[in-house]
Amino acid sequence: VRVYPNPATDFINIAASNISVVSLFDISGKEINSFTIDGDSRYNVSELKSDNYFVRVRDLKSQAITTSRIIIK
């Protein structure tokens, strides 16, 4: 799983090989959004305030979880 670009301003790209659940958290751990993707996806972050965030991707096939820290400018 890859989450890019980092830092981001308008969109983040999420590269995943299977159907996955993506969750976005603020720095305090509050979940901002959660959605399902099937392979590669793009998520609009333009309305988020400049800060650090965490993106958790859970592969529904293998149940593997990947967490990435991203910076929104």
Side-chain angles (χ1 to χ4, degrees), residues 34-66:
S34 183
F35 51 95
T36 301
I37 62 171
D38 187 359
D40 296 348
S41 184
R42 189 173 218 199
Y43 180 72
N44 184 345
V45 295
S46 63
E47 296 190 16
L48 296 176
K49 69 176 186 163
S50 296
D51 206 345
N52 291 287
Y53 294 88
F54 293 99
V55 178
R56 184 180 67 199
V57 181
R58 182 170 52 92
D59 184 306
L60 293 179
K61 183 176 182 180
S62 69
Q63 296 299 313
I65 296 173
T66 304

Side-chain angles (χ1 to χ4, degrees), residues 3-14 41-47 70-72:
V3 180
Y4 62 95
N6 193 9
T9 53
D10 295 321
F11 291 92
I12 57 170
N13 297 296
I14 303 162
S41 184
R42 189 173 218 199
Y43 180 72
N44 184 345
V45 295
S46 63
E47 296 190 16
I70 60 167
I71 300 167
I72 305 299

Side-chain angles (χ1 to χ4, degrees), residues 4-33:
Y4 62 95
N6 193 9
T9 53
D10 295 321
F11 291 92
I12 57 170
N13 297 296
I14 303 162
S17 56
N18 293 312
I19 298 173
S20 302
V21 175
V22 178
S23 301
L24 181 66
F25 299 90
D26 67 14
I27 198 73
S28 70
K30 179 183 173 193
E31 186 174 298
I32 296 170
N33 197 0

